[in-house]
Amino acid sequence: MPHDLPKAYDPTAIEDHWAEYWVRENLFAQPVVTSAAQGESADGQPQFSILLPPPNVTGRLHMGHMLNQTEMDILTRWGRMSGRRALWLPGTDHAGIATQMMVERQLTAEGTSRQKLGREAFVERVWEWKRHYGGAILDQMKRLGASVDWGREYFTMDERLSVAVREAFVKLHEQGLIYRGAYIVNWCPRCQTAISDLEVVYDEHKGHLWEIRYPVHGDDGRETGEYLTIATTRPETMLGDVAVAIHPEDERYLHLQGKKLGLPLGDIRKAWREIPIILDDWVSRDFGTGAVKVTPAHDPNDFALGQRHHLPSINVMDDTAHINENGGVYAGLDRYAARKRIVEDLEAQGLLAAVKDHTNNVGHCDRCKTVVEPRLSTQWFVKIQPLADKAIEAVEKGHIKFTPEMYAKTYFEWMRNIHDWCISRQLWWGHRIPAWHCAVCHKITVSRLDPTHCTHCNSDQITQETDVLDTWFSSGLLPVSVFGWPGITPENRADFDTFYPTSLLVTGFDILFFWVARMIMLGCWFAGDVPMPDGSPRSLADSVPFKEVYIHALVRDANREKMSKTKGNVIDPIEIVKQYGTDAVRFTLASMASPGTDIAFNVERTEGYRAFANKVWNAARFIFMNLDRAAEVGIESPFKVLRGRKGPGGREINLLFNLPFLGGEIPLADRWILAALYKTSGEVNEALENYRFDEAAAAIYQFFWGSFCDWYLEIVKLRLDVSKTPSDEELKQRELTEEEEKALERNAIATGALHTLLFVFESSLRMLSPFMPFITEEIWHAVFDGNPPAKSIALARFPRPREGSATLAPVIEEMALLQSLIVEVRGLRKEVGVEEKAAVPIELRADAGLKKIAQENHDIIERLARVSEIRFVEAITAGLPMHHAANFDVAVVYERTIDVPAERERLAKDIAKYEKGLVAAERQLGNEGFLARAPLQVVEGLKKQEAETRHLLEKALATLKALPPDGS
RNA sequence: GGGCGGUUAGCUCAGUUGGUUAGAGCGCCUGCCUUACAAGCAGGAUGUCGGGGGUUCAAGUCCCUCACUGCCCA
């Protein structure tokens, strides 16, 4: 019996079941579109498409993923429930370096290595690893209920995606945008590959600045006895020095112009190389001694300097950062060992002028944290400027919108200072570059299909390039490649036309450049070549990979510290989910996800939202209890009555329009809760349109707990009294008794109440569902007794504000009056110490409007404020404890003596507040400028407020005066 | 060094194009096991909106400046 819910909500009891159900039933599949479509299906259904930022295949789910996925899931579920053709497309990234490292570590543990295995066997081994363990992170996603289309899951090394990678490379090559050359790149000696600028993380290191004396040579090549002292942080690179540079206006050294220096290496002075002194205004006169050594092969600035001055480059290190044969006597030493030896040798020769403490920024490999070695090497590059220009234009023209907008600035800053992209990696795991070297003519053949002969000399002595492509090259192509590019034909293009450009990208700022910018560049570049369905050329607006980018914050720990393994403050989402339930964790993340602010994840907050889930659960129990009671006396559930009815087009019916009770007199509370529901759904829609997950969550929370549970459920209890009535058969035999007649009337009232109750509750579930998919699914099925109108609440419609819902605003105001009356009475009772359980009479002086409301809803006041009788009066009986509001005065008729000093204090506080407000209001109202320039409604509002405040002040003063002296 | 943020209640954060007496959650205090929920209900306290200056009829909101702080890039 689905109505039989346990007293406390236990997420673990239901979540696995639904997570598994959603996958098994394939509920979120969005099959490949085959008929003509352009952003809309034939029936005009708008699309909502979103790509999951593919986690590394080696990845484990962390809090950042969960935030990212929660946001995407909320938007996708909301879009789907709002009638959009929603596609959330999942996949994983082959993650070149990370994955290779992981498998290499395994090999090391097994006492072997990738070199021993050989390339082919190694790659096969990685595939094997991927098949075994690669799905872990997606399995975790499944557990979290992500509503992705699992049928479209991709892996960046899949055949079809590899085709796209090759096409992109070849095309760029044909367009002259790919070149190969020897440049300074960031080299990781541990990974033994080049890495891109972005993969280098800088860290401050306390090091030294060594000042070294280089002997000045005369024209005859002999030492003049003079020395030029240079400063360096990396003495070991001296081995590759080809010059010393000074600033052209540095008068300290100008006399040395044109002279040469001996490079003091090794103990045989005669063997020292001679290097020139060059002038360049790049040199900073303030740094060190103002003279710097120039090592083009091991420093990017020096490389540029070398280019300008046509200097040679001497590479002195091998792939593992050991000194190579160019390092003479130091060959074979590790770079740090070489540094030590060189410094010692210099000192021994009296050439070390000074050693100073110095803090410098040292680049580390993003993956393995090894200190990166800038190193001259031959790599493949993308000439990025033409792609960047388009990508800049796309954002400038608003074809792509960033939220928060601030990130557009960051994007422009980077894009406008972009460097060519080093796309080759000396790895084995990845997309191998489709280029073949010819052993005969030494030229390169780049080809879509594996060639057998050199295209230049037709030799068959060709071998494929051993380098693979940067992982981001393939992930940067995803928005086009997942929808069929480059194989788009008139016959199969419907899917691409439907979903490209995708609607949105949700991601963290940490991959803004790595991935987001690259997708924009590659997407604009390649999609731009795909004609529109009607054959016309594609505009830039239609070429972008996504129309919007939402950048979310970082999830930190409760103390705002970054989560890191070394700090040991990492929160495992799966653990926290086990403890509090997925829904509560999702709601926590959503409610804290205000744009631009990092999230300090605090389990106390999660505890609060677990309580919220429990609240929802118990509201369901309450409603079910009453439905069951009603059923016992023959009143059918409103949904049972309507079962099987469908609206136009076979869509799920909006039940409210069919509710019979709406024809008659609707009680204030019912009109109010409906108005509040519509208002809230409008707020949630607006908030989600603007990625304000926090506001959306707050609106639902406030509505469900603050309005529906705290007020409506309490009020409706008055109308849920049902009893057995005679059957139709019996009534043919006899007349109704007076009692039975009353019972029938009560049952009719209860039926109306149940209609509103169930309708509002079921609507709330749909509204809450994108945020808390599990509990809402569970209860929703129970609402329909296990026979719901759709397979899942996720396929039902999201509540929309009804047209004309603005006219419901007066209802909200009316109800607010009733609520404030009740709140005042409760406060009064508390102040004068009425026992919780006792019901007392009240005196109420009210204007006509409130009087009518109070009369019509006297039973509500009596129950919610525990009032035995409402006495409407012209003036409150002197001496009774009373409160004033703008529209009424109210007093409790209670004999117990009030706490005079406390009451006096309270009134004094009120009076001070009123006086302060009054002074401010009067000052402003006396200001000619204000009256003349402020909008009318502001002036009117202030006047009204001033009058109310004056009224309240007078009342409070009178009450204070009427108080008996202390101690009475 | 260049760029971009932040500073509002004890804590974590909202606060729209300037407009009525600055809000929420958590925490805190008081009283209640009122048969949906003690993971609950009711009531309550708490702010020189980082400092200073300016613009304006009106500033948490716009401008300048100082302090502190975070991030990105080099």
Side-chain angles (χ1 to χ4, degrees), chain A residues 462-484:
Chain A
I462 55 169
T463 47
Q464 188 172 2
E465 168 65 60
T466 53
D467 290 356
V468 300
L469 286 164
D470 180 7
T471 299
W472 299 102
F473 191 88
S474 56
S475 47
L477 288 165
L478 284 171
V480 288
S481 58
V482 293
F483 296 118

Side-chain angles (χ1 to χ4, degrees), chain A residues 228-496:
Chain A
L228 177 56
T229 306
I230 60 97
T232 181
T233 57
R234 303 203 53 204
E236 69 277 13
T237 62
M238 277 178 72
L239 297 165
D241 281 3
V242 295
V244 165
I246 56 175
H247 194 275
E249 288 157 27
D250 194 336
E251 289 171 3
R252 288 175 293 179
Y253 305 124
L254 272 182
H255 66 284
L256 295 173
Q257 191 176 350
K259 294 264 188 327
K260 300 216 163 152
L261 300 167
L263 183 63
L265 284 168
D267 46 11
I268 306 165
R269 264 177 128 96
K270 277 181 188 163
W272 290 357
R273 272 197 286 125
E274 202 170 57
I275 58 174
I277 294 171
I278 59 170
L279 305 183
D280 197 290
D281 57 15
W282 170 79
V283 178
S284 162
R285 278 175 282 182
D286 306 329
F287 181 79
T289 59
V292 294
K293 55 198 245 10
V294 180
T295 322
H298 291 279
D299 182 281
N301 290 311
D302 292 9
F303 182 74
L305 210 56
Q307 298 279 73
R308 277 201 293 280
H309 295 268
H310 309 290
L311 298 166
S313 295
I314 304 172
N315 191 343
V316 298
M317 288 185 214
D318 65 12
D319 290 357
T320 60
H322 286 69
I323 305 301
N324 66 13
E325 66 281 4
N326 292 330
V329 295
Y330 302 100
L333 290 175
D334 169 77
R335 53 185 163 168
Y336 297 113
R339 174 182 298 179
K340 194 161 170 272
R341 275 275 301 279
I342 287 170
V343 169
E344 282 167 7
D345 288 352
L346 289 169
E347 192 168 17
Q349 296 174 69
L351 295 174
L352 191 62
V355 183
K356 293 176 175 164
D357 286 339
H358 181 69
T359 306
N360 54 345
N361 264 333
V362 178
H364 295 73
C365 173
D366 193 24
R367 279 287 146 213
C368 69
K369 310 304 170 201
T370 305
V371 173
V372 161
E373 187 62 43
R375 180 167 177 263
L376 190 65
S377 85
T378 301
Q379 302 290 342
W380 295 82
F381 295 85
V382 176
K383 201 189 262 183
I384 208 75
Q385 201 59 52
L387 284 78
D389 289 343
K390 271 200 177 192
I392 290 168
E393 189 189 343
V395 177
E396 275 175 347
K397 294 221 169 122
H399 304 319
I400 298 174
K401 194 182 137 230
F402 280 87
T403 305
E405 281 175 45
M406 165 193 51
Y407 285 106
K409 287 188 197 169
T410 313
Y411 169 83
F412 285 133
E413 190 65 23
W414 188 71
M415 289 298 267
R416 287 174 180 147
N417 296 295
I418 197 164
H419 301 289
D420 281 355
W421 178 13
C422 174
I423 50 169
S424 47
R425 297 291 182 276
Q426 289 65 49
L427 303 173
W428 287 355
W429 175 242
H431 296 100
R432 199 157 164 182
I433 290 178
W436 282 260
H437 301 275
C438 176
V440 178
C441 72
H442 301 293
K443 288 188 175 160
I444 290 171
T445 301
V446 170
S447 173
R448 287 178 176 82
L449 299 170
D450 289 7
T452 52
H453 291 81
C454 172
T455 49
H456 306 282
C457 70
N458 207 33
S459 147
D460 63 356
Q461 302 285 299
I462 55 169
T463 47
Q464 188 172 2
E465 168 65 60
T466 53
D467 290 356
V468 300
L469 286 164
D470 180 7
T471 299
W472 299 102
F473 191 88
S474 56
S475 47
L477 288 165
L478 284 171
V480 288
S481 58
V482 293
F483 296 118
W485 186 87
I488 293 169
T489 64
E491 291 71 39
N492 71 7
R493 60 175 301 155
D495 202 51
F496 182 88

Side-chain angles (χ1 to χ4, degrees), chain A residues 63 201-202 509-510 553-571 598-601:
Chain A
M63 229 43 202
V201 287
Y202 290 88
F509 63 85
D510 50 333
L554 208 65
V555 184
R556 298 166 174 276
D557 75 359
N559 302 316
R560 307 201 59 75
E561 301 263 356
K562 249 186 195 168
M563 291 188 194
S564 76
K565 278 182 198 162
T566 44
K567 278 188 208 153
N569 62 346
V570 175
I571 301 172
D598 282 350
I599 292 175
F601 190 88

Side-chain angles (χ1 to χ4, degrees), chain A residues 174-228:
Chain A
E174 285 168 355
Q175 291 166 330
L177 296 175
I178 283 190
Y179 64 94
R180 184 168 182 258
Y183 295 89
I184 284 275
V185 294
N186 304 292
W187 183 270
C188 175
R190 203 223 60 87
C191 303
Q192 294 180 38
T193 176
I195 55 180
S196 76
D197 292 348
L198 284 175
E199 287 162 308
V200 179
V201 287
Y202 290 88
D203 206 4
E204 291 216 326
H205 268 236
K206 287 213 166 110
H208 300 286
L209 191 63
W210 286 271
E211 294 185 2
I212 302 166
R213 303 164 71 208
Y214 283 23
V216 177
H217 283 191
D219 294 340
D220 56 358
R222 295 182 176 209
E223 291 185 20
T224 61
E226 192 180 359
Y227 290 89
L228 177 56

Side-chain angles (χ1 to χ4, degrees), chain A residues 68 212 226 288 386 452 515 853 857:
Chain A
N68 185 246
I212 302 166
E226 192 180 359
T452 52
W515 194 46
I853 295 170
N857 297 284

Side-chain angles (χ1 to χ4, degrees), chain A residues 655-769:
Chain A
L655 291 152
L656 182 68
F657 295 119
N658 300 295
L659 291 180
F661 78 93
L662 276 179
E665 278 288 300
I666 310 171
L668 173 63
D670 288 35
R671 282 182 283 131
W672 166 74
I673 196 66
L674 288 165
L677 170 69
Y678 295 133
K679 187 163 166 267
T680 307
S681 70
E683 286 165 358
V684 173
N685 277 322
E686 198 189 336
L688 288 182
E689 271 158 26
N690 296 304
Y691 311 111
R692 292 303 304 259
F693 302 96
D694 57 328
E695 286 182 357
I700 295 175
Y701 183 97
Q702 170 53 35
F703 167 76
F704 194 85
W705 200 322
S707 298
F708 183 68
C709 290
D710 286 349
W711 288 96
Y712 188 71
L713 285 189
E714 292 307 317
I715 289 170
V716 85
K717 282 175 182 174
L718 288 161
R719 289 195 272 136
L720 291 175
D721 196 12
V722 290
S723 49
K724 191 92 182 149
T725 53
S727 67
D728 291 351
E729 285 300 305
E730 268 181 276
L731 288 180
K732 282 179 191 161
Q733 311 292 322
R734 60 177 177 85
E735 295 283 301
L736 283 171
T737 66
E738 200 175 314
E739 206 145 287
E740 285 168 343
E741 209 162 320
K742 277 186 184 158
L744 267 177
E745 202 178 310
R746 278 200 308 272
N747 284 4
I749 288 170
T751 306
L754 284 171
H755 275 79
T756 312
L757 190 57
L758 200 55
F759 172 75
V760 173
F761 182 61
E762 193 267 349
S763 301
S764 308
L765 289 177
R766 282 183 276 126
M767 191 159 67
L768 180 59
S769 174

